[in-house]
Amino acid sequence: MLFKKPQVAFYPFMVLRDDYKCIRCKSCVDQCSFDATYYDEDLDMVLNRHENCVNCKRCEAFCPTDAIKVIKNPSTFHPDANWTAEALRDIHTQMLTGAVILTSTGNDKPIRNYFDHLLLDACQVTNPPIDPLREPMELKTFIGRKSDQLEFDEDGISIKTTIGKQLELEIPVLFSAMSYGSINLNLQKAMARAAKEFGTYWNTGEGGLHKSLREFKDCTIVQVASGRFGVDLEYLETSAAIEIKIGQGAKPGIGGHLPGEKVNEGIAETRMIPVGSDAISPAPHHDIYSIEDLRQLIYALKEATNYEKPVFVKIAAVHNVAAIACGIAHAGADAVVIDGVRGGTGATPKSLRDHVGIPIELAIAAVDDRLRKEGLRNEVSLIAAGGFRNAVDVLKAIALGADAVYIGTVAKIAAGCTQCQQCHTGRCAWGITTNDPKLAKRLNPDIVAENLYNLLRAWAHDIKELLGAMGINAIESIKGNRLRLRSWGLTEQENKILGVLPAGM
Amino acid sequence: MEVKKISDGIFEITCGTTHYREVNRKVKELVAKGAEKIILKSVYGQRYIGTGIKGKVKIEVYGTAGNDLGIFLYGPEIEVFGNAQDGVGNTMRDGKIIVRGHAGDVCGYGMRGGKVYIEGDVGYRVGIHMKGYKNLVPTFIVGGKAGNFFGEYMAGGILILLGLNKKPGEDIVGDYCATGMHGGVIFVRGEVPQRYLGKEVKVFEPTSEDMKLLTNELKGFSEAFNIPVEEILSEPFTKIVPVSARPYGRMYAHRWGIASGLIK
Amino acid sequence: MSGKKRKLMKVYPIEENCISCRYCEVACTMVHSKSKDPVKAYKLENLLPRATVEVKGAVSLSLMCRHCKHPFCFDSCISGAIQVDEKGQVHLDEEKCVGCWNCVLVCPFGAAHPYIREEKRHSFKCDLCGDRGFPACVEACPNKALVYDYER
Amino acid sequence: MKYVIVGNSAAAVGCITGIRKVDKESPITVISYETSCYSKPMIADVLVDIPQEKLIYRDEKFFEENNVELILGQKAVKVNTDSKAVVLDSNELVPYDKLLISTGGKPFIPPIPGIEKRGVFTFTELASAFAFKNYLKEKGAEEVVVIGSGFIGLEVAYFLRELGIKVKVVELLNRVLGRAMDERGSEIVESLMREKGVEFIFGNTVEEVLGDKEVSSVRLKSGETIKADAVVVAIGVRPNTELAETAGMKINQGIVTSDRMETSVENIYAAGDCIECLDITDGKRKPIPLFPLAFEQGFVAGLNMAGKRMKYLGGIPLNSLKFLPVPVLNAGTVSPPDNSYEVIVNDQFDKRGYYRKAVIKDNRLVGFVAIGEIDRVGILTNLIRQKIDVSDFKERLVSLDFGLVDLPKWWREEKLKEDRTAYKDWRAV
Amino acid sequence: MGCYSEMSGCGLAGIVNRDAKPISGKFIYDSITSMKERGNGMGAGYAAYGIYPEMADYYAFHVMLDDIDCESEVNTVLGRSFRIVKSEIIPTKPVPSLYKKTKPPVFYRYFVEPREDARLPMESEEDLVVRVVMTINDKVKGAYVISSGKNMGAFKGVGHPDEIGDFFEIKEYKGYIWLAHTRFPTNTPGWWGGAHPFTLLDWAIVHNGEITSYGTNKRYVEMFGYRCTLLTDTEVAAYLFDLLFRKHRLPIRAVFMAMAAPFWKDIEHYKKTGLDKLYKMAKMIRTVYAPAMLNGPFAMLFAFKDGVIGFNDRIKLRPFVAAEKGNTVYMASEESAIRVICEEPDRVWMPKAGEPVIALLNHCKEEDICYPA
């Protein structure tokens, strides 16, 4: 630890190496993007700088002889429930730099996960379960503004009512917004391909749409965020839907900075900024300081695209989310996207990630309730995002009242992510949240597209199995069907917010 | 709403208080039919004029143009005979907007191409987050004065403030000018009080190279409002450029950065 | 070398996908070992990989014998250890090789390697995994950076 | 069509291979005074009892498969261009439609008094190698003088040490491998040889071979006399153009050929050590008696003889010392003749046991030396051959991990993806 | 909800004739209706001054009744403190589109005179009125006081400004000050009382934006006995204004300096430039009235019998335009809303952040309309 700040010695992880099994292939040295592994020619040994290790597990995965294990540093600070290692290290970081601590991925604090406290129903005796393997099971979902009733012409068959453009989903799961820049083109490509193949949608995020992805027009949701990166008429037209991003679950209320060193030629071109320049997304849209301004932008987008694209508005689930969602519905959005406190990100101040926002389960329940109370539920689709881990979470979210679910972290994990929380460094060893050409190519879009497709397929089967057990053969019959949910271990107040009965009732 | 054909390719629409959606639909319809010039008369705040149209067409606006004039503009030329409200040239890509009057807040937000010339004053937050890539460079010229947050977050492009109507003792620009600026260039005719400038920028005297650029950019403005370039250039200019393309590089830190020695 | 039409399959590296993990190298060494164990192959049997992973910044690729249509190594082999079969596959008979290193000296891909350890001196190179039927490197590659395909 | 090849070494085999690429039917006749197709660069290995089969370059099966008639043990003495026939020493006539002369080289024997004495040997034929070995055995030789410290000289000296015989190498220059190797390379090789026990006498030469009928000692130019139970003359080979002369073709230092390996006489081609070959590193035509080049020339000649038009675009002088414990390779120009060359050196020999050096002229690699670590130096050879601009990665040329990744991407793509590995793709400059 | 303010975005308009000449409601109607786009049809309202010239001496109570049956209860409460001079149903015209959204309540107006004996010790007349207003709002179920000033009134409800204007027949009224509001509530219980303007005594206030400091401000005014029952930003702003202007008797410029306080940087600048008094005042105000500072985006119009004051938040996050022609001053969210009723104003300007536009009647002060910072 020579020439280093003493606090650096208290590193969180370390690399164990079975030197007998080490064949000096140096794969780990090459794979480590955090400069934690090196080969010493004189010693003919592979050595580690433990303080640099972030537990991304890349070396572990790529050691051909299984000689490496990354472990938590067994040396601890004095065990203290209050002054935890995290608290201490955060102080070290801030006292050494005078800066805000940056981190990434989703909230890692043990905020109650209500999905884990919800249980699904199944049919017994009084009505039959359905076998999804043989019998029809429909997951088709439409996202978009619908009308409350249909008006017929006198002929009794022609319908006079017109409804807004709808997105047709084969599974109520979409790929969440992750911008080109925060992730690389390869993952976007993979998501676009998987989405196209499966019949769902992916989202560009706020970094624009790279020209190579234009072919995926029909399964692309383009995002318009405060930085307006890559936004022009052509971009808006090359889409199935447009999403205005107001906020994000991992960092409600702040914008984003894509550091200049990450802005390479491809990103610069796509975002329409110079190479090497910071790509700063301001906290607000500077043309939206109030709800009527949002309406102004929604209609600007509709005007620009001749009312042909549904416009989504994405917000972070914050305290007053229900009211805001209603306002968004009033403002003319075709879908409201709410992103819960567990939503992921490529970079955010730690304090925001961990302490701002509310869990998505409560937000879904509150928003769905309020929209129904206001008679707006048909006017607007509700997409939930932030912290979905599996098909069961998806189904529970739909039962609580969501129409569909955005998955981002899941897609990343399917692409190899080990949640080491280093996205913001741009050094992602798995080639996901980096645009370093050496690292980015670790993510092969061919492979990942297939993985993502498999994942969607598995989830679809999973949802079908669960629906079948409940005797439901179409996803719409579980939408907002909170009667098929029961909770355990929740307070009365929580049950009330979620609108579910405790198990046994 | 009343539509009149003036001559081949030229139409006149009297808007009154007709909803913008109808006006804009009519405009698009006429453009699709090959209109080259559309004159909008009696405009009372109709929004989004000129959006959703690709290609060269001229739109003249008489009255008060509504919010988001020329949002996402992609080619057309808009000339306003009167004042414009907020959001002129919002997220504009290509084309030209001339306003013969003043304009409101948040004009030129996220603009990435084309030209905007405002004859009079502009409100707050003008030229926020303008950007530029290679030869896609937006130019926003204000003939009058500007409010606070002028050129905030600017990432590229050229923002020019002339203050031609400035009275002695008046400030040409408001506070927090160019805060967070990390690209592009701002030229101000006259001086900007140091206390109004963000700490992310530095002030320079324009070089001869700059003057060439300025003269070139001012040509269009000078033609539009019939003010000789020499007259505009008769006073010295201040050039405002960002200190770094990474204004917030030291705002954030992380453990790995310290451990790796990346953050000193 | 007869003139039958070549219907050769060989391993193509794809630079864009190569992540320099060296799985190809280790897999190669392993399948060419007696023990079929990577650690023993390296440590006890002293074997070396026939594929070479080259890395330079972001660019990396795995290189092995290209089984050229007209191989330099074949021209230069003084012992007749290098032969081309009717499919076009280039074989190096390690027993016959006398270790003159001419093939090492002329191979434009650097795919013929010298083996100089203890008493053994001979060249060696990719044999497309001979009897194994499918190249181990291709099978091991985790990122589809190696493709076993017909000659183009 | 009847093909006749005189000589039975690399060029001949190359020629057979070339012909058979195009013409699978027509008969081929090979005439050689030797009795087998062995590998010339390996004859010194005879001293250390290399197994007989390892010496064989192409066995009988090869000739059978390729439908080649072998006339062995008979020497072609004349070419009758009018009747298009080769005259053997048995006066037999071998008619040809296309003839390849690949008569190789003959050892250069300096005019030294006593050089004809028994016990003086050269090393270009298997027979003489065996004879030398037998002579050593017969005489129970203890000390041998080797004249010349070229590749053959050093190899013989090295193997003699293996046999426990004291060896003194007499060299006119002041270092070993004077013409082929740079100074540092020579130094390394010399130290390796000395480790083995070989003694060197530099700046000196043998003025007279002493002894009755058989060699007993030699007298050096310096006046010194050293004991020698046998003498090996290894100061190079010269093109063997005896047969060619009878055909009346143009000959300079060696047989003059066109790019297609045609001699000045119609239907007669020549290849191998007997010709003048284009050295692509300096653009000059000169005899380069090297095995790989002979094969290539033979191959091109074969193609052209069978009617496929193909150019030979020249060769690079390249050498490999195979007998030393550490491999020593070099190619092209290794000692820059003037200061228009740039030299990049990576000398880690003392520390890590390797030495690399690259010589660059006009941003093109023209030569290199690699000692110790030699893996993948073929890439460098190829840079010389293809004259690729190396200015962007000069410094990398001498590093051990230099590879294709250092080369321009388009080049890699062309060679790897598009599979441009045919003869013309590589040789075309 | 509970402790959160209800958020809304909006459009606003105001007209003052500084000569106190009556202006037809048609103008304000046209002006606010041209900004329909800024609202979502879930709330609109008007406030007018000088509409009851004959009853100018009496407090005019506009009371919204969910049910006509509540009237007697209101009558009783009012009667306890006032002498009711006149009471009538406010005339309305049926507007079919309104009924699609909600069932309009009944509006009553009472012209009343305070009973001397009803006043509590130390209670001013105004305090009495405020107390009664609070009582009705709080205690009488289904009844809400919409306005309670003299010679003024508020008209508001759930609908677009044209619908509400038509409903109350706004065009038929004549006043020298007009305020109008079109509302974009993010969620609305469909309650007519939630619409703006908000009034108290003869204050009327319309507001566009959201006050992010609502919680702080609310708890602050509650310390002084106000009860925030409507949970709107506008309400708290009105109470603040009442507190600072009426109760604490701060000069107008001080009131606005408290509510849209200058930045410390600017305060330091006053000192540097020798404006010592201003420096001290600004510093003291920020120190003492810190909880009165309104944060977040807003534009507001305050009206009272003597004029209208418009102002903006500290960094001008909401649009606000002013114009004058002759002795008439116009203020609105969009310039077009002014142009619709005044084609060629003498002057149109965009006020600076936090800088109030004070348009007082000519007889009030010999001060310029626009207050220079």
Side-chain angles (χ1 to χ4, degrees), chain A residues 16-22 24 65-69, chain C residues 43:
Chain A
L16 286 191
R17 187 180 297 279
D18 181 343
D19 192 51
Y20 185 77
K21 277 174 135 186
C22 177
R24 279 41 167 181
T65 60
D66 192 21
I68 304 173
K69 282 283 164 266
Chain C
K43 294 203 154 177

Side-chain angles (χ1 to χ4, degrees), chain C:
Chain C
M1 196 155 121
S2 74
K4 269 187 206 159
K5 197 158 169 64
R6 289 156 64 99
K7 230 192 167 181
L8 178 65
M9 281 185 93
K10 57 189 189 189
V11 180
Y12 288 93
I14 298 169
E15 202 174 304
E16 287 68 29
N17 289 355
C18 177
I19 56 172
S20 56
C21 67
R22 296 169 203 275
Y23 267 29
C24 45
E25 289 186 1
V26 180
C28 176
T29 314
M30 188 181 103
V31 301
H32 286 92
S33 71
K34 285 197 194 77
S35 58
K36 307 291 178 203
D37 176 289
V39 179
K40 291 180 189 168
Y42 274 87
K43 294 203 154 177
L44 303 179
E45 299 182 37
N46 260 322
L47 293 182
L48 291 170
R50 288 144 201 261
T52 310
V53 175
E54 293 187 359
V55 189
K56 186 192 176 198
V59 186
S60 62
L61 79 163
S62 173
L63 256 180
M64 64 291 291
C65 176
R66 308 306 312 139
H67 299 273
C68 302
K69 285 194 179 108
H70 188 93
F72 283 101
C73 57
F74 171 70
D75 291 0
S76 68
C77 178
I78 64 168
S79 65
I82 296 178
Q83 293 294 344
V84 184
D85 71 13
E86 68 280 3
K87 279 193 296 184
Q89 194 176 328
V90 181
H91 297 276
L92 192 154
D93 184 342
E94 288 173 19
E95 292 302 313
K96 198 145 197 251
C97 175
V98 296
C100 73
W101 317 135
N102 267 352
C103 51
V104 176
L105 186 53
V106 298
C107 176
F109 298 105
H113 306 284
Y115 187 90
I116 313 170
R117 286 195 178 184
E118 292 146 17
E119 287 307 295
K120 284 173 102 179
R121 294 165 66 93
H122 61 79
S123 294
F124 64 101
K125 66 166 200 65
C126 166
D127 55 359
L128 293 170
C129 280
D131 304 332
R132 197 171 179 275
F134 193 85
C137 51
V138 179
E139 198 180 317
C141 182
N143 209 39
K144 295 192 179 170
L146 292 172
V147 175
Y148 188 46
D149 197 2
Y150 283 104
E151 203 167 42
R152 288 148 205 188

Side-chain angles (χ1 to χ4, degrees), chain B residues 161-257:
Chain B
L161 181 62
L162 300 176
L164 296 170
N165 60 1
K166 186 170 95 81
K167 294 186 197 93
E170 256 185 325
D171 284 331
I172 188 166
V173 70
D175 207 346
Y176 307 100
C177 175
T179 45
M181 181 176 181
H182 53 287
V185 58
I186 301 178
F187 291 107
V188 180
R189 187 168 175 265
E191 274 184 22
V192 180
Q194 187 60 42
R195 69 187 181 97
Y196 285 171
L197 286 171
K199 57 184 179 302
E200 297 84 6
V201 291
K202 262 209 166 106
V203 166
F204 294 95
E205 223 172 272
T207 61
S208 59
E209 198 72 5
D210 294 330
M211 289 315 286
K212 228 186 272 168
L213 174 88
L214 196 56
T215 314
N216 204 24
E217 290 296 340
L218 283 172
K219 260 185 217 153
F221 183 85
S222 139
E223 269 167 38
F225 302 115
N226 204 13
I227 307 167
V229 177
E230 302 75 54
E231 194 185 313
I232 300 172
L233 292 175
S234 64
E235 265 189 50
F237 274 77
T238 304
K239 178 190 179 191
I240 303 171
V241 284
V243 182
S244 119
R246 296 229 39 213
Y248 302 106
R250 286 189 55 81
M251 279 284 288
Y252 298 102
H254 42 87
R255 219 206 89 85
W256 181 74

Side-chain angles (χ1 to χ4, degrees), chain A residues 286-293 295-296 299 319-320 322-328 330-332 370 374 376, chain E residues 1 4-5 7-11 37-40 42 184-190 208-209 297 316-318:
Chain A
H286 282 291
D287 52 359
I288 305 179
Y289 291 148
S290 181
I291 188 77
E292 72 267 19
D293 292 353
R295 179 192 181 83
Q296 188 172 315
Y299 279 91
H319 302 186
N320 214 5
I324 301 165
C326 287
I328 291 168
H330 276 306
R370 186 70 64 86
E374 304 292 328
L376 291 167
Chain E
M1 284 274 280
Y4 296 102
S5 70
M7 302 155 290
S8 65
C10 308
E37 203 55 37
R38 303 187 70 86
N40 65 350
M42 298 306 277
F184 197 130
T186 43
N187 76 97
T188 171
N208 168 16
K316 197 171 191 252
L317 294 163
R318 299 309 309 140

Side-chain angles (χ1 to χ4, degrees), chain A residues 337-384:
Chain A
V337 182
I338 43 175
D339 193 4
V341 72
R342 293 191 298 272
T345 177
T348 175
K350 200 160 177 274
S351 42
L352 268 118
R353 185 194 70 178
D354 293 348
H355 302 285
V356 182
I358 63 168
I360 189 64
E361 306 87 324
L362 302 177
I364 297 170
V367 171
D368 181 60
D369 277 352
R370 186 70 64 86
L371 287 172
R372 284 169 199 269
K373 208 180 275 174
E374 304 292 328
L376 291 167
R377 191 63 187 82
N378 251 12
E379 295 269 296
V380 73
S381 291
L382 175 61
I383 305 175

